[in-house]
Amino acid sequence: MIELNEKNSGILQKIFLPNKLNVEIYLKREDLIHPHISGNKWHKLKFNLIEAQKLNKKTLLTFGGAYSNHIYAVASAGKQFGFKTIGIIRGEEHLPLNPTLEFSVQQGMHLHYIDRTNYRKRNNKEFQAELAENFGDVHVIPEGGTNMLALKGASEITNNIDIEFDYICCAVGTGGTISGIISSQKGNRKVLGFSVLKNGSFLKTEVRNLVYEYTGENYSNWDINLDYHLGGYAKINYEFVQFVNQFKENIKIDLDYIYTGKMMYGIIDLINKNFFDTNAKIIAVHTGGIQGNIGMQTKINKLEK
Ligand SMILES: *Cc1c(COP(=O)(O)O)cnc(C)c1O
């Protein structure tokens, strides 16, 4: 049976954060679903794993960078649900392995490195067929896990919200998670994403297409904010690190530096800039990613010096 105890994913935690317009933030703790298959990655994987099982596939093959939360989650899910796993990793091997890849190998994942040029072909059907031929009868899950089955899973993120709200926010990498959330809202409320990529405007097209493919609708109650990537994927600065540290100290919740930290940094800055209406209720989805913080520590130490 492919299921996790998802009772923790229902937790909505109100964040105490007094502000002039009385905007309220509730953090939806998807990070508590599982110690390793956490956050949005579980939702995105769930129906993909069920599909692999239906097709009687024994091996999952997927793609990611060396610090990918998706690679980490697939390795862990493979071990938990009895699949072999192959991770196609962008770039060259660096030893010792970083904590993300070290963990993935411990879970039994086989790592296969490809150069950046070949990596660009990752969504190409012929390239995938070639890989499948090399590795046998594999079930291919795309980079970041984003496909229609991922949208189906991500649309469940909003299932058990039992308060009324005006906004729901999440961090955006490939756009799969926000597309599922947009689909679940059926044009109601506002969905606001925060791009963690520099030059992320292409994500708006990507998300529009994904939502259309999944629902057949062109909803307009959503946007992706492009202002809080802080220089690009996994780029950080001193002020931001202070923000994440302060958040942990005051609110007692860990944020990750790549996704949820940047979303929360953006939300709070927008509150201070009076972007949200008086008394607006915001749900911010904690999509997990805490495992990546160990891998960021060297960068953080440099900044703090
Ligand atoms: C992967 C990831 C995201 C981005 O999800 P997409 O569906 O790729 O947009 C957000 N938050 C965390 C913690 C993630 O690991």
Short mmCIF file of all heavy atoms in Angstrom, two decimals, residues 168-198:
data_model
loop_
_atom_site.label_atom_id
_atom_site.label_comp_id
_atom_site.label_asym_id
_atom_site.label_seq_id
_atom_site.Cartn_x
_atom_site.Cartn_y
_atom_site.Cartn_z
N ILE A 168 -3.46 31.86 -0.60
CA ILE A 168 -2.62 30.71 -0.25
C ILE A 168 -1.30 30.87 -1.02
O ILE A 168 -1.29 31.16 -2.21
CB ILE A 168 -3.33 29.36 -0.51
CG1 ILE A 168 -2.43 28.20 -0.07
CG2 ILE A 168 -3.80 29.21 -1.94
CD1 ILE A 168 -3.19 26.90 0.16
N CYS A 169 -0.20 30.75 -0.29
CA CYS A 169 1.12 31.03 -0.86
C CYS A 169 2.00 29.78 -0.83
O CYS A 169 1.90 28.97 0.09
CB CYS A 169 1.83 32.10 -0.03
SG CYS A 169 0.96 33.68 -0.03
N CYS A 170 2.87 29.66 -1.82
CA CYS A 170 3.88 28.60 -1.78
C CYS A 170 5.10 29.03 -2.59
O CYS A 170 5.03 29.96 -3.40
CB CYS A 170 3.33 27.28 -2.30
SG CYS A 170 3.01 27.26 -4.06
N ALA A 171 6.21 28.34 -2.34
CA ALA A 171 7.42 28.59 -3.12
C ALA A 171 7.30 27.86 -4.45
O ALA A 171 6.65 26.82 -4.54
CB ALA A 171 8.64 28.08 -2.36
N VAL A 172 7.93 28.40 -5.49
CA VAL A 172 7.82 27.83 -6.83
C VAL A 172 9.21 27.48 -7.39
O VAL A 172 10.08 28.34 -7.47
CB VAL A 172 7.12 28.81 -7.80
CG1 VAL A 172 7.00 28.21 -9.19
CG2 VAL A 172 5.73 29.19 -7.26
N GLY A 173 9.37 26.21 -7.76
CA GLY A 173 10.62 25.76 -8.40
C GLY A 173 10.32 25.38 -9.84
O GLY A 173 10.66 26.10 -10.78
N THR A 174 9.66 24.23 -10.03
CA THR A 174 9.23 23.85 -11.38
C THR A 174 7.81 24.31 -11.67
O THR A 174 7.38 24.33 -12.82
CB THR A 174 9.26 22.32 -11.58
OG1 THR A 174 8.31 21.74 -10.67
CG2 THR A 174 10.63 21.73 -11.29
N GLY A 175 7.05 24.62 -10.62
CA GLY A 175 5.68 25.08 -10.80
C GLY A 175 4.61 24.00 -10.62
O GLY A 175 3.42 24.29 -10.69
N GLY A 176 5.03 22.77 -10.37
CA GLY A 176 4.06 21.68 -10.21
C GLY A 176 3.15 21.87 -9.00
O GLY A 176 1.93 21.69 -9.08
N THR A 177 3.76 22.24 -7.90
CA THR A 177 2.99 22.37 -6.65
C THR A 177 1.96 23.48 -6.75
O THR A 177 0.78 23.27 -6.44
CB THR A 177 3.97 22.66 -5.48
OG1 THR A 177 4.91 21.59 -5.44
CG2 THR A 177 3.23 22.75 -4.17
N ILE A 178 2.38 24.65 -7.18
CA ILE A 178 1.42 25.75 -7.27
C ILE A 178 0.33 25.41 -8.30
O ILE A 178 -0.84 25.76 -8.11
CB ILE A 178 2.10 27.11 -7.59
CG1 ILE A 178 1.07 28.24 -7.37
CG2 ILE A 178 2.67 27.16 -8.99
CD1 ILE A 178 1.65 29.62 -7.45
N SER A 179 0.67 24.69 -9.34
CA SER A 179 -0.34 24.33 -10.34
C SER A 179 -1.41 23.44 -9.73
O SER A 179 -2.61 23.60 -10.02
CB SER A 179 0.31 23.61 -11.53
OG SER A 179 1.21 24.48 -12.18
N GLY A 180 -1.00 22.52 -8.85
CA GLY A 180 -1.97 21.67 -8.16
C GLY A 180 -2.84 22.49 -7.23
O GLY A 180 -4.06 22.29 -7.16
N ILE A 181 -2.23 23.44 -6.54
CA ILE A 181 -2.98 24.28 -5.61
C ILE A 181 -3.98 25.16 -6.38
O ILE A 181 -5.14 25.27 -5.99
CB ILE A 181 -2.02 25.12 -4.74
CG1 ILE A 181 -1.23 24.20 -3.80
CG2 ILE A 181 -2.79 26.17 -3.94
CD1 ILE A 181 -0.15 24.89 -2.99
N ILE A 182 -3.53 25.75 -7.47
CA ILE A 182 -4.43 26.58 -8.29
C ILE A 182 -5.62 25.73 -8.75
O ILE A 182 -6.77 26.15 -8.66
CB ILE A 182 -3.68 27.16 -9.52
CG1 ILE A 182 -2.64 28.17 -9.06
CG2 ILE A 182 -4.67 27.81 -10.50
CD1 ILE A 182 -1.63 28.55 -10.15
N SER A 183 -5.33 24.51 -9.21
CA SER A 183 -6.40 23.64 -9.69
C SER A 183 -7.41 23.36 -8.59
O SER A 183 -8.61 23.32 -8.83
CB SER A 183 -5.81 22.31 -10.21
OG SER A 183 -4.87 22.58 -11.22
N SER A 184 -6.91 23.18 -7.36
CA SER A 184 -7.81 22.83 -6.25
C SER A 184 -8.73 23.99 -5.87
O SER A 184 -9.80 23.78 -5.31
CB SER A 184 -7.00 22.41 -5.02
OG SER A 184 -6.41 23.55 -4.39
N GLN A 185 -8.33 25.22 -6.15
CA GLN A 185 -9.11 26.38 -5.72
C GLN A 185 -10.23 26.75 -6.70
O GLN A 185 -11.10 27.57 -6.39
CB GLN A 185 -8.19 27.60 -5.49
CG GLN A 185 -7.19 27.38 -4.35
CD GLN A 185 -7.87 26.98 -3.07
OE1 GLN A 185 -8.65 27.73 -2.49
NE2 GLN A 185 -7.60 25.75 -2.62
N LYS A 186 -10.19 26.18 -7.91
CA LYS A 186 -11.26 26.38 -8.90
C LYS A 186 -11.63 27.84 -9.11
O LYS A 186 -12.82 28.19 -9.20
CB LYS A 186 -12.50 25.59 -8.50
CG LYS A 186 -12.25 24.09 -8.36
CD LYS A 186 -13.57 23.34 -8.22
CE LYS A 186 -13.45 21.86 -8.48
NZ LYS A 186 -12.68 21.15 -7.46
N GLY A 187 -10.63 28.71 -9.12
CA GLY A 187 -10.89 30.13 -9.39
C GLY A 187 -11.21 30.96 -8.16
O GLY A 187 -11.38 32.18 -8.25
N ASN A 188 -11.33 30.32 -7.00
CA ASN A 188 -11.64 31.06 -5.77
C ASN A 188 -10.37 31.49 -5.04
O ASN A 188 -9.32 30.88 -5.19
CB ASN A 188 -12.47 30.19 -4.83
CG ASN A 188 -13.78 29.80 -5.47
OD1 ASN A 188 -14.50 30.64 -5.98
ND2 ASN A 188 -14.08 28.50 -5.48
N ARG A 189 -10.48 32.53 -4.23
CA ARG A 189 -9.37 33.04 -3.42
C ARG A 189 -8.20 33.42 -4.34
O ARG A 189 -8.32 33.40 -5.55
CB ARG A 189 -8.93 32.02 -2.38
CG ARG A 189 -10.12 31.50 -1.59
CD ARG A 189 -9.70 30.43 -0.60
NE ARG A 189 -10.88 29.78 -0.04
CZ ARG A 189 -11.50 28.75 -0.59
NH1 ARG A 189 -11.04 28.19 -1.70
NH2 ARG A 189 -12.59 28.23 -0.05
N LYS A 190 -7.07 33.78 -3.73
CA LYS A 190 -5.91 34.09 -4.56
C LYS A 190 -4.76 33.15 -4.22
O LYS A 190 -4.51 32.85 -3.05
CB LYS A 190 -5.47 35.53 -4.32
CG LYS A 190 -6.46 36.53 -4.87
CD LYS A 190 -5.80 37.87 -5.17
CE LYS A 190 -6.78 38.81 -5.84
NZ LYS A 190 -7.47 39.67 -4.85
N VAL A 191 -4.08 32.70 -5.24
CA VAL A 191 -2.92 31.83 -5.05
C VAL A 191 -1.69 32.64 -5.46
O VAL A 191 -1.63 33.17 -6.57
CB VAL A 191 -3.03 30.55 -5.91
CG1 VAL A 191 -1.86 29.62 -5.63
CG2 VAL A 191 -4.37 29.85 -5.66
N LEU A 192 -0.74 32.74 -4.55
CA LEU A 192 0.44 33.56 -4.81
C LEU A 192 1.70 32.72 -4.63
O LEU A 192 1.96 32.20 -3.54
CB LEU A 192 0.45 34.77 -3.85
CG LEU A 192 1.58 35.77 -4.03
CD1 LEU A 192 1.60 36.35 -5.44
CD2 LEU A 192 1.48 36.89 -2.99
N GLY A 193 2.46 32.58 -5.70
CA GLY A 193 3.70 31.83 -5.64
C GLY A 193 4.90 32.76 -5.55
O GLY A 193 4.82 33.93 -5.92
N PHE A 194 5.99 32.24 -5.05
CA PHE A 194 7.24 33.00 -4.96
C PHE A 194 8.31 32.22 -5.71
O PHE A 194 8.70 31.12 -5.30
CB PHE A 194 7.63 33.21 -3.49
CG PHE A 194 6.72 34.17 -2.79
CD1 PHE A 194 5.52 33.72 -2.24
CD2 PHE A 194 7.02 35.52 -2.71
CE1 PHE A 194 4.65 34.61 -1.62
CE2 PHE A 194 6.16 36.41 -2.09
CZ PHE A 194 4.97 35.96 -1.54
N SER A 195 8.78 32.78 -6.82
CA SER A 195 9.79 32.09 -7.62
C SER A 195 11.12 32.06 -6.87
O SER A 195 11.58 33.07 -6.37
CB SER A 195 10.00 32.83 -8.95
OG SER A 195 11.13 32.30 -9.60
N VAL A 196 11.73 30.89 -6.80
CA VAL A 196 13.07 30.79 -6.21
C VAL A 196 14.13 30.84 -7.30
O VAL A 196 15.31 30.72 -7.02
CB VAL A 196 13.23 29.50 -5.36
CG1 VAL A 196 12.17 29.44 -4.27
CG2 VAL A 196 13.20 28.24 -6.23
N LEU A 197 13.68 31.01 -8.53
CA LEU A 197 14.61 31.10 -9.66
C LEU A 197 14.73 32.54 -10.14
O LEU A 197 13.74 33.29 -10.12
CB LEU A 197 14.12 30.25 -10.83
CG LEU A 197 13.74 28.81 -10.55
CD1 LEU A 197 13.22 28.15 -11.82
CD2 LEU A 197 14.92 28.03 -10.00
N LYS A 198 15.92 32.90 -10.57
CA LYS A 198 16.11 34.18 -11.24
C LYS A 198 15.49 34.08 -12.63
O LYS A 198 15.45 33.00 -13.21
CB LYS A 198 17.63 34.41 -11.35
CG LYS A 198 18.05 35.79 -11.71
CD LYS A 198 19.53 35.88 -11.42
CE LYS A 198 20.24 36.77 -12.39
NZ LYS A 198 21.67 36.81 -12.05
#
